[in-house]
Amino acid sequence: MKKSESSEDYMKSILILHKRNGVARSAEVAMEMGVSRPSVCNAMKKLRKENMIYFGENDHIYFTDAGKKLAEKIYSKHSLISKFLKGIGVSKDRADEEACVIEHAISDETYECLDKFYKAHMV
Amino acid sequence: MKKSESSEDYMKSILILHKRNGVARSAEVAMEMGVSRPSVCNAMKKLRKENMIYFGENDHIYFTDAGKKLAEKIYSKHSLISKFLKGIGVSKDRADEEACVIEHAISDETYECLDKFYKAHMV
DNA sequence: TTGACAAGTTAGCATAAGCTAATTATACTG
DNA sequence: CAGTATAATTAGCTTATGCTAACTTGTCAA
């Protein structure tokens, strides 16, 4: 089940909102990502069809098990990459910004390699 | 002058063909990138408009100075990232594949940081 | 109860990038 | 020279993603 970059971004945003506020709704996702509400609406429709999320009471967005797993993975990739980039001297803002793109490009294999490398040489 | 990922890929392909064959033409770019000739045609039109390339005799594609500089930069980023990924244990094919995406995500600042890091810790 | 605001959704449009099929242009070969 | 093959281009379509404007729904308060 190949997911687009943009879908992955929405998943990550929802997870961030869950961590920050406990809940996530479309309008908050729109704010968080800086996109319009209709864009979020479309993206959510797609993610729902792909069984990544579902809507509960009050339009709250929840992850399915598969969705949760995917979102956590993307988040981990983001964190690791950002940490690594800061570790080699990239400024915090830029590290974060570039991690947002790179996180979609690296496979699980690469994630594991970078994680091992980071722990072995950069802690 | 912000360039799209896809434009950067075309620039890199042209440079690779220059290095490999001395010349580059649209049909070869299409082969190299695995896209259709019309797609290359459109991309070349755009790159020409942006003064990155021009066409000489026999439809040969040449870089302008700005184009050459850009292409070399992307190529350097690609090489460094690929080298780095292989260095941390990623398989050659995957390293190359992922470098193709990551190369578009990293700034010159990050390139410099990674280059220094690589030279200092991974040679 | 009604009116207003917020949030979700729908409709319609734009842009980027790719494709196929068809057309034009070049160039080589018999 | 004529015909064929190769390459470039054009036209028209598709998909993905975003936007604005307009419409719907639901809640809360006067």
Side-chain angles (χ1 to χ4, degrees):
Chain A
M1 177 193 307
K2 179 65 184 164
K3 319 235 46 311
S4 75
E5 276 196 26
S6 121
S7 286
E8 291 189 353
D9 277 333
Y10 283 104
M11 295 293 282
K12 192 182 60 173
S13 264
I14 295 166
L15 182 62
I16 287 169
L17 288 166
H18 280 183
K19 284 177 190 289
R20 184 191 302 153
N21 309 334
V23 298
R25 274 175 314 167
S26 293
E28 292 154 6
V29 175
M31 282 290 280
E32 166 70 21
M33 294 185 66
V35 298
S36 70
R37 274 176 300 126
S39 296
V40 177
C41 183
N42 282 329
M44 295 306 108
K45 220 184 281 178
K46 206 169 137 201
L47 289 175
R48 203 163 19 178
K49 195 155 53 181
E50 288 164 342
N51 258 291
M52 290 292 122
I53 60 165
Y54 60 93
F55 276 32
E57 296 266 299
N58 291 105
D59 298 311
H60 281 27
I61 304 168
Y62 300 102
F63 286 125
T64 61
D65 287 350
K68 178 87 178 169
K69 210 169 135 187
L70 181 62
E72 295 278 14
K73 175 146 281 169
I74 298 156
Y75 188 81
S76 304
K77 284 178 182 174
H78 177 89
S79 305
L80 175 61
I81 293 160
S82 173
K83 222 170 38 172
F84 170 77
L85 291 178
K86 280 179 255 171
I88 63 170
V90 179
S91 70
K92 183 184 166 0
D93 284 356
R94 199 186 287 277
D96 225 61
E97 186 189 323
E98 296 182 6
C100 280
V101 184
I102 300 173
E103 70 198 21
H104 305 297
I106 73 166
S107 58
D108 294 355
E109 179 198 337
T110 299
Y111 172 79
E112 294 303 335
C113 292
L114 186 58
D115 191 48
K116 271 201 199 77
F117 182 85
Y118 187 85
K119 282 172 181 152
H121 302 94
M122 304 181 66
V123 178
Chain B
M1 180 192 308
K2 178 67 184 163
K3 319 238 41 316
S4 76
E5 278 196 22
S6 122
S7 286
E8 291 189 354
D9 277 332
Y10 284 104
M11 294 294 281
K12 191 180 61 172
S13 264
I14 295 166
L15 182 62
I16 287 170
L17 288 165
H18 280 183
K19 283 177 192 289
R20 185 192 301 153
N21 309 334
V23 298
R25 274 173 316 166
S26 292
E28 293 153 5
V29 175
M31 282 290 279
E32 166 71 21
M33 295 185 64
V35 298
S36 71
R37 273 175 298 130
S39 296
V40 177
C41 183
N42 281 329
M44 294 308 107
K45 220 186 280 178
K46 207 169 136 203
L47 289 175
R48 206 165 12 179
K49 196 153 52 182
E50 288 163 342
N51 258 293
M52 290 292 124
I53 61 165
Y54 60 93
F55 277 33
E57 294 267 297
N58 290 105
D59 297 310
H60 282 26
I61 303 167
Y62 300 100
F63 287 124
T64 61
D65 287 349
K68 178 87 179 170
K69 210 168 136 187
L70 180 61
E72 296 277 14
K73 175 146 279 168
I74 298 156
Y75 188 81
S76 304
K77 285 179 182 174
H78 178 89
S79 305
L80 174 62
I81 293 159
S82 174
K83 223 171 37 172
F84 169 77
L85 290 177
K86 281 180 255 174
I88 63 171
V90 179
S91 70
K92 182 184 166 357
D93 284 356
R94 198 187 288 278
D96 226 61
E97 186 189 322
E98 295 180 8
C100 281
V101 185
I102 300 172
E103 70 198 24
H104 306 297
I106 72 166
S107 59
D108 294 354
E109 178 199 340
T110 299
Y111 171 79
E112 295 302 335
C113 292
L114 186 58
D115 191 47
K116 271 201 198 76
F117 182 84
Y118 187 86
K119 282 173 180 152
H121 302 93
M122 305 180 65
V123 177

PDB file of all heavy atoms in Angstrom, chain A residues 97-123:
ATOM      1  N   GLU A  97      12.784  21.418   8.696  1.00  0.00           N
ATOM      2  CA  GLU A  97      12.164  21.642   7.391  1.00  0.00           C
ATOM      3  C   GLU A  97      12.576  20.560   6.397  1.00  0.00           C
ATOM      4  O   GLU A  97      11.727  19.983   5.703  1.00  0.00           O
ATOM      5  CB  GLU A  97      12.632  23.013   6.897  1.00  0.00           C
ATOM      6  CG  GLU A  97      12.006  23.507   5.622  1.00  0.00           C
ATOM      7  CD  GLU A  97      12.731  24.772   5.155  1.00  0.00           C
ATOM      8  OE1 GLU A  97      13.124  25.589   6.015  1.00  0.00           O
ATOM      9  OE2 GLU A  97      12.929  24.914   3.934  1.00  0.00           O
ATOM     10  N   GLU A  98      13.855  20.259   6.361  1.00  0.00           N
ATOM     11  CA  GLU A  98      14.320  19.276   5.387  1.00  0.00           C
ATOM     12  C   GLU A  98      13.934  17.859   5.793  1.00  0.00           C
ATOM     13  O   GLU A  98      13.672  17.009   4.935  1.00  0.00           O
ATOM     14  CB  GLU A  98      15.835  19.424   5.179  1.00  0.00           C
ATOM     15  CG  GLU A  98      16.154  20.784   4.567  1.00  0.00           C
ATOM     16  CD  GLU A  98      17.635  21.014   4.280  1.00  0.00           C
ATOM     17  OE1 GLU A  98      18.447  20.093   4.436  1.00  0.00           O
ATOM     18  OE2 GLU A  98      17.970  22.166   3.896  1.00  0.00           O
ATOM     19  N   ALA A  99      13.855  17.632   7.085  1.00  0.00           N
ATOM     20  CA  ALA A  99      13.420  16.303   7.562  1.00  0.00           C
ATOM     21  C   ALA A  99      12.011  16.008   7.057  1.00  0.00           C
ATOM     22  O   ALA A  99      11.668  14.854   6.783  1.00  0.00           O
ATOM     23  CB  ALA A  99      13.462  16.252   9.084  1.00  0.00           C
ATOM     24  N   CYS A 100      11.204  17.061   6.912  1.00  0.00           N
ATOM     25  CA  CYS A 100       9.826  16.900   6.436  1.00  0.00           C
ATOM     26  C   CYS A 100       9.753  16.330   5.023  1.00  0.00           C
ATOM     27  O   CYS A 100       8.764  15.729   4.641  1.00  0.00           O
ATOM     28  CB  CYS A 100       9.088  18.230   6.456  1.00  0.00           C
ATOM     29  SG  CYS A 100       8.509  18.667   8.080  1.00  0.00           S
ATOM     30  N   VAL A 101      10.788  16.575   4.246  1.00  0.00           N
ATOM     31  CA  VAL A 101      10.803  16.021   2.894  1.00  0.00           C
ATOM     32  C   VAL A 101      11.491  14.654   2.903  1.00  0.00           C
ATOM     33  O   VAL A 101      11.001  13.686   2.336  1.00  0.00           O
ATOM     34  CB  VAL A 101      11.525  16.969   1.906  1.00  0.00           C
ATOM     35  CG1 VAL A 101      11.433  16.418   0.495  1.00  0.00           C
ATOM     36  CG2 VAL A 101      10.935  18.364   1.979  1.00  0.00           C
ATOM     37  N   ILE A 102      12.635  14.605   3.581  1.00  0.00           N
ATOM     38  CA  ILE A 102      13.445  13.384   3.555  1.00  0.00           C
ATOM     39  C   ILE A 102      12.700  12.203   4.174  1.00  0.00           C
ATOM     40  O   ILE A 102      12.833  11.071   3.736  1.00  0.00           O
ATOM     41  CB  ILE A 102      14.796  13.624   4.275  1.00  0.00           C
ATOM     42  CG1 ILE A 102      15.561  14.750   3.569  1.00  0.00           C
ATOM     43  CG2 ILE A 102      15.621  12.352   4.319  1.00  0.00           C
ATOM     44  CD1 ILE A 102      16.819  15.196   4.289  1.00  0.00           C
ATOM     45  N   GLU A 103      11.896  12.488   5.187  1.00  0.00           N
ATOM     46  CA  GLU A 103      11.165  11.412   5.880  1.00  0.00           C
ATOM     47  C   GLU A 103      10.339  10.559   4.910  1.00  0.00           C
ATOM     48  O   GLU A 103      10.094   9.391   5.166  1.00  0.00           O
ATOM     49  CB  GLU A 103      10.244  11.997   6.957  1.00  0.00           C
ATOM     50  CG  GLU A 103       9.064  12.768   6.397  1.00  0.00           C
ATOM     51  CD  GLU A 103       8.408  13.699   7.410  1.00  0.00           C
ATOM     52  OE1 GLU A 103       9.062  14.058   8.396  1.00  0.00           O
ATOM     53  OE2 GLU A 103       7.239  14.074   7.210  1.00  0.00           O
ATOM     54  N   HIS A 104       9.922  11.149   3.802  1.00  0.00           N
ATOM     55  CA  HIS A 104       9.106  10.403   2.834  1.00  0.00           C
ATOM     56  C   HIS A 104       9.966   9.589   1.867  1.00  0.00           C
ATOM     57  O   HIS A 104       9.461   8.761   1.127  1.00  0.00           O
ATOM     58  CB  HIS A 104       8.231  11.353   2.025  1.00  0.00           C
ATOM     59  CG  HIS A 104       7.379  12.220   2.879  1.00  0.00           C
ATOM     60  ND1 HIS A 104       6.407  11.721   3.718  1.00  0.00           N
ATOM     61  CD2 HIS A 104       7.365  13.562   3.063  1.00  0.00           C
ATOM     62  CE1 HIS A 104       5.827  12.724   4.358  1.00  0.00           C
ATOM     63  NE2 HIS A 104       6.400  13.844   3.989  1.00  0.00           N
ATOM     64  N   ALA A 105      11.250   9.882   1.879  1.00  0.00           N
ATOM     65  CA  ALA A 105      12.125   9.269   0.878  1.00  0.00           C
ATOM     66  C   ALA A 105      12.853   8.038   1.402  1.00  0.00           C
ATOM     67  O   ALA A 105      13.338   7.236   0.621  1.00  0.00           O
ATOM     68  CB  ALA A 105      13.150  10.298   0.398  1.00  0.00           C
ATOM     69  N   ILE A 106      12.938   7.909   2.723  1.00  0.00           N
ATOM     70  CA  ILE A 106      13.766   6.806   3.211  1.00  0.00           C
ATOM     71  C   ILE A 106      12.941   5.574   3.578  1.00  0.00           C
ATOM     72  O   ILE A 106      11.862   5.658   4.151  1.00  0.00           O
ATOM     73  CB  ILE A 106      14.668   7.226   4.399  1.00  0.00           C
ATOM     74  CG1 ILE A 106      13.868   7.417   5.677  1.00  0.00           C
ATOM     75  CG2 ILE A 106      15.487   8.451   4.052  1.00  0.00           C
ATOM     76  CD1 ILE A 106      14.740   7.497   6.911  1.00  0.00           C
ATOM     77  N   SER A 107      13.466   4.439   3.181  1.00  0.00           N
ATOM     78  CA  SER A 107      12.840   3.144   3.448  1.00  0.00           C
ATOM     79  C   SER A 107      13.051   2.749   4.907  1.00  0.00           C
ATOM     80  O   SER A 107      13.843   3.366   5.622  1.00  0.00           O
ATOM     81  CB  SER A 107      13.492   2.099   2.564  1.00  0.00           C
ATOM     82  OG  SER A 107      14.882   2.084   2.845  1.00  0.00           O
ATOM     83  N   ASP A 108      12.366   1.722   5.308  1.00  0.00           N
ATOM     84  CA  ASP A 108      12.554   1.203   6.664  1.00  0.00           C
ATOM     85  C   ASP A 108      13.987   0.707   6.845  1.00  0.00           C
ATOM     86  O   ASP A 108      14.573   0.883   7.912  1.00  0.00           O
ATOM     87  CB  ASP A 108      11.565   0.069   6.936  1.00  0.00           C
ATOM     88  CG  ASP A 108      10.128   0.591   6.952  1.00  0.00           C
ATOM     89  OD1 ASP A 108       9.933   1.816   6.853  1.00  0.00           O
ATOM     90  OD2 ASP A 108       9.198  -0.238   7.064  1.00  0.00           O
ATOM     91  N   GLU A 109      14.510   0.122   5.792  1.00  0.00           N
ATOM     92  CA  GLU A 109      15.900  -0.351   5.862  1.00  0.00           C
ATOM     93  C   GLU A 109      16.842   0.809   6.165  1.00  0.00           C
ATOM     94  O   GLU A 109      17.690   0.724   7.057  1.00  0.00           O
ATOM     95  CB  GLU A 109      16.315  -0.986   4.515  1.00  0.00           C
ATOM     96  CG  GLU A 109      17.766  -1.495   4.496  1.00  0.00           C
ATOM     97  CD  GLU A 109      18.313  -1.715   3.072  1.00  0.00           C
ATOM     98  OE1 GLU A 109      17.502  -1.903   2.135  1.00  0.00           O
ATOM     99  OE2 GLU A 109      19.549  -1.677   2.912  1.00  0.00           O
ATOM    100  N   THR A 110      16.665   1.883   5.432  1.00  0.00           N
ATOM    101  CA  THR A 110      17.543   3.029   5.641  1.00  0.00           C
ATOM    102  C   THR A 110      17.350   3.630   7.031  1.00  0.00           C
ATOM    103  O   THR A 110      18.309   4.033   7.687  1.00  0.00           O
ATOM    104  CB  THR A 110      17.296   4.089   4.553  1.00  0.00           C
ATOM    105  OG1 THR A 110      17.582   3.505   3.285  1.00  0.00           O
ATOM    106  CG2 THR A 110      18.156   5.312   4.755  1.00  0.00           C
ATOM    107  N   TYR A 111      16.101   3.660   7.447  1.00  0.00           N
ATOM    108  CA  TYR A 111      15.826   4.152   8.807  1.00  0.00           C
ATOM    109  C   TYR A 111      16.624   3.353   9.827  1.00  0.00           C
ATOM    110  O   TYR A 111      17.267   3.936  10.716  1.00  0.00           O
ATOM    111  CB  TYR A 111      14.329   4.052   9.109  1.00  0.00           C
ATOM    112  CG  TYR A 111      13.997   4.350  10.554  1.00  0.00           C
ATOM    113  CD1 TYR A 111      13.935   5.655  11.019  1.00  0.00           C
ATOM    114  CD2 TYR A 111      13.779   3.304  11.459  1.00  0.00           C
ATOM    115  CE1 TYR A 111      13.657   5.926  12.345  1.00  0.00           C
ATOM    116  CE2 TYR A 111      13.496   3.565  12.787  1.00  0.00           C
ATOM    117  CZ  TYR A 111      13.436   4.869  13.233  1.00  0.00           C
ATOM    118  OH  TYR A 111      13.166   5.132  14.538  1.00  0.00           O
ATOM    119  N   GLU A 112      16.601   2.051   9.712  1.00  0.00           N
ATOM    120  CA  GLU A 112      17.323   1.190  10.656  1.00  0.00           C
ATOM    121  C   GLU A 112      18.816   1.464  10.618  1.00  0.00           C
ATOM    122  O   GLU A 112      19.471   1.559  11.664  1.00  0.00           O
ATOM    123  CB  GLU A 112      17.055  -0.294  10.338  1.00  0.00           C
ATOM    124  CG  GLU A 112      15.612  -0.751  10.542  1.00  0.00           C
ATOM    125  CD  GLU A 112      15.094  -0.517  11.959  1.00  0.00           C
ATOM    126  OE1 GLU A 112      15.921  -0.456  12.892  1.00  0.00           O
ATOM    127  OE2 GLU A 112      13.862  -0.367  12.123  1.00  0.00           O
ATOM    128  N   CYS A 113      19.341   1.596   9.426  1.00  0.00           N
ATOM    129  CA  CYS A 113      20.774   1.876   9.292  1.00  0.00           C
ATOM    130  C   CYS A 113      21.142   3.197   9.956  1.00  0.00           C
ATOM    131  O   CYS A 113      22.134   3.291  10.686  1.00  0.00           O
ATOM    132  CB  CYS A 113      21.177   1.922   7.817  1.00  0.00           C
ATOM    133  SG  CYS A 113      21.099   0.346   6.971  1.00  0.00           S
ATOM    134  N   LEU A 114      20.334   4.212   9.688  1.00  0.00           N
ATOM    135  CA  LEU A 114      20.646   5.534  10.237  1.00  0.00           C
ATOM    136  C   LEU A 114      20.509   5.518  11.754  1.00  0.00           C
ATOM    137  O   LEU A 114      21.310   6.135  12.469  1.00  0.00           O
ATOM    138  CB  LEU A 114      19.718   6.587   9.624  1.00  0.00           C
ATOM    139  CG  LEU A 114      20.030   8.046   9.997  1.00  0.00           C
ATOM    140  CD1 LEU A 114      21.454   8.426   9.598  1.00  0.00           C
ATOM    141  CD2 LEU A 114      19.033   9.009   9.341  1.00  0.00           C
ATOM    142  N   ASP A 115      19.530   4.795  12.226  1.00  0.00           N
ATOM    143  CA  ASP A 115      19.304   4.710  13.666  1.00  0.00           C
ATOM    144  C   ASP A 115      20.506   4.066  14.347  1.00  0.00           C
ATOM    145  O   ASP A 115      21.030   4.584  15.338  1.00  0.00           O
ATOM    146  CB  ASP A 115      18.034   3.889  13.916  1.00  0.00           C
ATOM    147  CG  ASP A 115      17.585   3.990  15.370  1.00  0.00           C
ATOM    148  OD1 ASP A 115      17.527   5.121  15.888  1.00  0.00           O
ATOM    149  OD2 ASP A 115      17.296   2.933  15.981  1.00  0.00           O
ATOM    150  N   LYS A 116      20.942   2.949  13.803  1.00  0.00           N
ATOM    151  CA  LYS A 116      22.126   2.252  14.359  1.00  0.00           C
ATOM    152  C   LYS A 116      23.330   3.172  14.316  1.00  0.00           C
ATOM    153  O   LYS A 116      24.071   3.297  15.279  1.00  0.00           O
ATOM    154  CB  LYS A 116      22.431   0.993  13.523  1.00  0.00           C
ATOM    155  CG  LYS A 116      21.714  -0.252  13.975  1.00  0.00           C
ATOM    156  CD  LYS A 116      22.439  -1.505  13.469  1.00  0.00           C
ATOM    157  CE  LYS A 116      21.508  -2.712  13.512  1.00  0.00           C
ATOM    158  NZ  LYS A 116      20.519  -2.708  12.397  1.00  0.00           N
ATOM    159  N   PHE A 117      23.504   3.807  13.157  1.00  0.00           N
ATOM    160  CA  PHE A 117      24.658   4.688  12.998  1.00  0.00           C
ATOM    161  C   PHE A 117      24.623   5.821  14.021  1.00  0.00           C
ATOM    162  O   PHE A 117      25.623   6.123  14.668  1.00  0.00           O
ATOM    163  CB  PHE A 117      24.687   5.254  11.584  1.00  0.00           C
ATOM    164  CG  PHE A 117      25.865   6.145  11.323  1.00  0.00           C
ATOM    165  CD1 PHE A 117      27.077   5.598  10.931  1.00  0.00           C
ATOM    166  CD2 PHE A 117      25.773   7.520  11.477  1.00  0.00           C
ATOM    167  CE1 PHE A 117      28.187   6.410  10.694  1.00  0.00           C
ATOM    168  CE2 PHE A 117      26.878   8.345  11.255  1.00  0.00           C
ATOM    169  CZ  PHE A 117      28.079   7.779  10.862  1.00  0.00           C
ATOM    170  N   TYR A 118      23.462   6.413  14.158  1.00  0.00           N
ATOM    171  CA  TYR A 118      23.329   7.538  15.096  1.00  0.00           C
ATOM    172  C   TYR A 118      23.681   7.104  16.513  1.00  0.00           C
ATOM    173  O   TYR A 118      24.452   7.772  17.212  1.00  0.00           O
ATOM    174  CB  TYR A 118      21.908   8.090  15.045  1.00  0.00           C
ATOM    175  CG  TYR A 118      21.744   9.359  15.848  1.00  0.00           C
ATOM    176  CD1 TYR A 118      22.042  10.590  15.294  1.00  0.00           C
ATOM    177  CD2 TYR A 118      21.328   9.310  17.181  1.00  0.00           C
ATOM    178  CE1 TYR A 118      21.917  11.758  16.030  1.00  0.00           C
ATOM    179  CE2 TYR A 118      21.205  10.475  17.935  1.00  0.00           C
ATOM    180  CZ  TYR A 118      21.505  11.698  17.350  1.00  0.00           C
ATOM    181  OH  TYR A 118      21.393  12.846  18.080  1.00  0.00           O
ATOM    182  N   LYS A 119      23.106   5.982  16.915  1.00  0.00           N
ATOM    183  CA  LYS A 119      23.365   5.487  18.278  1.00  0.00           C
ATOM    184  C   LYS A 119      24.834   5.132  18.483  1.00  0.00           C
ATOM    185  O   LYS A 119      25.385   5.328  19.568  1.00  0.00           O
ATOM    186  CB  LYS A 119      22.484   4.273  18.565  1.00  0.00           C
ATOM    187  CG  LYS A 119      21.038   4.671  18.891  1.00  0.00           C
ATOM    188  CD  LYS A 119      20.125   3.457  18.989  1.00  0.00           C
ATOM    189  CE  LYS A 119      18.681   3.903  19.291  1.00  0.00           C
ATOM    190  NZ  LYS A 119      17.693   2.939  18.749  1.00  0.00           N
ATOM    191  N   ALA A 120      25.450   4.603  17.444  1.00  0.00           N
ATOM    192  CA  ALA A 120      26.848   4.167  17.583  1.00  0.00           C
ATOM    193  C   ALA A 120      27.846   5.317  17.543  1.00  0.00           C
ATOM    194  O   ALA A 120      28.878   5.278  18.199  1.00  0.00           O
ATOM    195  CB  ALA A 120      27.185   3.157  16.485  1.00  0.00           C
ATOM    196  N   HIS A 121      27.530   6.356  16.772  1.00  0.00           N
ATOM    197  CA  HIS A 121      28.553   7.390  16.551  1.00  0.00           C
ATOM    198  C   HIS A 121      28.177   8.803  16.952  1.00  0.00           C
ATOM    199  O   HIS A 121      29.015   9.704  16.909  1.00  0.00           O
ATOM    200  CB  HIS A 121      28.963   7.424  15.063  1.00  0.00           C
ATOM    201  CG  HIS A 121      29.483   6.131  14.554  1.00  0.00           C
ATOM    202  ND1 HIS A 121      28.679   5.218  13.923  1.00  0.00           N
ATOM    203  CD2 HIS A 121      30.720   5.585  14.610  1.00  0.00           C
ATOM    204  CE1 HIS A 121      29.420   4.162  13.589  1.00  0.00           C
ATOM    205  NE2 HIS A 121      30.654   4.361  13.999  1.00  0.00           N
ATOM    206  N   MET A 122      26.928   9.014  17.318  1.00  0.00           N
ATOM    207  CA  MET A 122      26.552  10.417  17.493  1.00  0.00           C
ATOM    208  C   MET A 122      25.812  10.695  18.792  1.00  0.00           C
ATOM    209  O   MET A 122      25.195  11.750  18.931  1.00  0.00           O
ATOM    210  CB  MET A 122      25.703  10.866  16.300  1.00  0.00           C
ATOM    211  CG  MET A 122      26.412  10.639  14.983  1.00  0.00           C
ATOM    212  SD  MET A 122      25.456  11.183  13.578  1.00  0.00           S
ATOM    213  CE  MET A 122      25.402  12.952  13.828  1.00  0.00           C
ATOM    214  N   VAL A 123      25.853   9.748  19.694  1.00  0.00           N
ATOM    215  CA  VAL A 123      25.151  10.016  20.953  1.00  0.00           C
ATOM    216  C   VAL A 123      26.093  10.730  21.907  1.00  0.00           C
ATOM    217  O   VAL A 123      25.933  11.873  22.235  1.00  0.00           O
ATOM    218  CB  VAL A 123      24.635   8.729  21.596  1.00  0.00           C
ATOM    219  CG1 VAL A 123      23.972   9.064  22.924  1.00  0.00           C
ATOM    220  CG2 VAL A 123      23.646   8.044  20.675  1.00  0.00           C
TER     221      VAL A 123
END
